[in-house]
Amino acid sequence: MKEIFSGIFENEGKLFTKNLVPGKKVYGERLVLVNKKEFREWVPWRSKLGAAIKNGLKHVPLQNGSKVLYLGSSEGTTPSHVSDIIGKNGLLLGVDISERVMRKFIQLCEQRKNLVPILADANQPEQYAEHLEGQAVDLLFQDISQKNQAEIFNKNAKLFLKSGKPGLIALKAKSISQKESPEQVFRKEIKVLENEFKILQVLSLGPFEKDHAMVFGEKK
Ligand SMILES: C[S@@+](CC[C@H](N)C(=O)[O-])C[C@H]1O[C@@H](n2cnc3c(N)ncnc32)[C@H](O)[C@@H]1O
């Protein structure tokens, strides 16, 4: 196992994180034992952050103890790997609008004490500001299929991210426009993101996710 970023490992072309809850799988991923330590395979076909790392994300702004606001936590596939990376001293606040997926995520939060569930609309960040107790986060992450993806991200950044802090957003072209090409859609969304962020990297997520891009920026 070679550590390629803090808490993120690679072996024979596959990504892994060290399992915070040994013996437990989250989404059917493979568990591997190396020198008595258990690792969970991070499947890029199931996780846009995993796909971005496979596609050459230059910097993964996560480490032991990081505090993350994660918009679109769903059932917790990617959040579970973030949970492994940030460890017991870290915290991930997972926001999702769907009660159905939140039920599954809450079960995961019971196993992983560094995950906190927030049932809310990410378009209305004032509604969950109290959960953050006025504190800024170390990373804002978003994976939400909405028409105004960039606007939602900017709103949250204004409230919860300090200048110079990182943001990562997965853009889904088809949720924004069926008519325009993904490239046109990404160009427009990035323009919106530039109101709040200095853009540092844009990556296509193919072949893992069709017509998706990951944008990495730093809050202005
Ligand atoms: C593609 S899934 C996220 C998958 C997750 N990031 C992962 O990798 O494990 C998108 C999620 O965004 C949620 N979502 C959509 N609109 C939302 C909104 N306005 N506020 C919060 N969550 C929203 C959906 O309920 C869905 O669970």
Side-chain angles (χ1 to χ4, degrees):
M1 284 284 169
K2 182 176 169 221
E3 190 167 17
I4 54 168
F5 294 104
S6 181
I8 304 173
F9 301 82
E10 198 172 47
N11 188 25
E12 296 177 345
K14 310 256 191 244
L15 294 176
F16 293 87
T17 54
K18 198 159 140 247
N19 198 355
L20 189 68
V21 190
K24 296 263 185 212
K25 295 182 182 187
V26 175
Y27 57 101
E29 71 282 16
R30 202 159 51 100
L31 302 179
V32 177
L33 207 59
V34 179
N35 296 334
K36 295 190 180 151
K37 287 183 190 141
E38 190 180 271
F39 294 83
R40 299 166 55 226
E41 186 175 345
W42 191 350
V43 184
W45 300 94
R46 301 285 305 275
S47 165
K48 286 164 208 139
L49 181 55
I53 295 170
K54 282 300 291 176
N55 283 2
L57 186 63
K58 286 191 202 128
H59 184 57
V60 183
L62 287 170
Q63 58 187 354
N64 192 290
S66 294
K67 186 170 179 181
V68 181
L69 178 59
Y70 192 115
L71 309 174
S73 44
S74 194
E75 296 182 354
T77 301
T78 302
S80 70
H81 287 290
V82 175
S83 158
D84 285 345
I85 298 164
I86 63 179
K88 289 196 170 95
N89 299 323
L91 189 68
L92 179 150
L93 299 137
V95 177
D96 207 287
I97 199 168
S98 155
E99 282 186 32
R100 186 183 57 80
V101 301
M102 196 44 90
R103 275 194 283 276
K104 227 27 216 294
F105 187 60
I106 288 169
Q107 288 173 7
L108 188 67
C109 295
E110 280 159 9
Q111 285 175 16
R112 293 174 171 263
K113 299 295 176 200
N114 60 5
L115 299 180
V116 173
I118 301 174
L119 179 65
D121 181 354
N123 214 356
Q124 298 180 6
E126 320 76 36
Q127 286 189 351
Y128 47 87
E130 66 188 87
H131 289 274
L132 285 110
E133 294 163 349
Q135 282 181 42
V137 296
D138 300 312
L139 169 67
L140 176 65
F141 185 92
Q142 182 178 304
D143 177 13
I144 277 180
S145 27
Q146 289 283 345
K147 224 176 156 61
N148 61 336
Q149 290 165 42
E151 188 198 343
I152 294 175
F153 195 61
N154 282 355
K155 272 191 202 175
N156 280 270
K158 268 190 190 164
L159 278 181
F160 307 121
L161 213 52
K162 286 207 174 117
S163 172
K165 287 289 185 181
L168 272 169
I169 175 171
L171 294 175
K172 181 177 178 181
K174 295 291 176 222
S175 303
I176 296 163
S177 170
Q178 300 278 349
K179 287 191 211 131
E180 291 172 290
S181 73
E183 290 67 33
Q184 276 174 311
V185 173
F186 296 148
R187 227 175 289 126
K188 282 189 189 165
E189 287 299 283
I190 287 167
K191 266 236 146 6
V192 176
L193 292 171
E194 278 171 342
N195 290 325
E196 294 295 331
F197 287 89
K198 179 179 164 197
I199 306 301
L200 300 175
Q201 196 179 9
V202 181
L203 280 166
S204 156
L205 297 186
F208 307 106
E209 293 279 355
K210 197 166 172 268
D211 300 335
H212 279 72
M214 184 69 78
V215 181
F216 177 49
E218 208 173 75
K219 176 85 170 60
K220 281 185 180 168

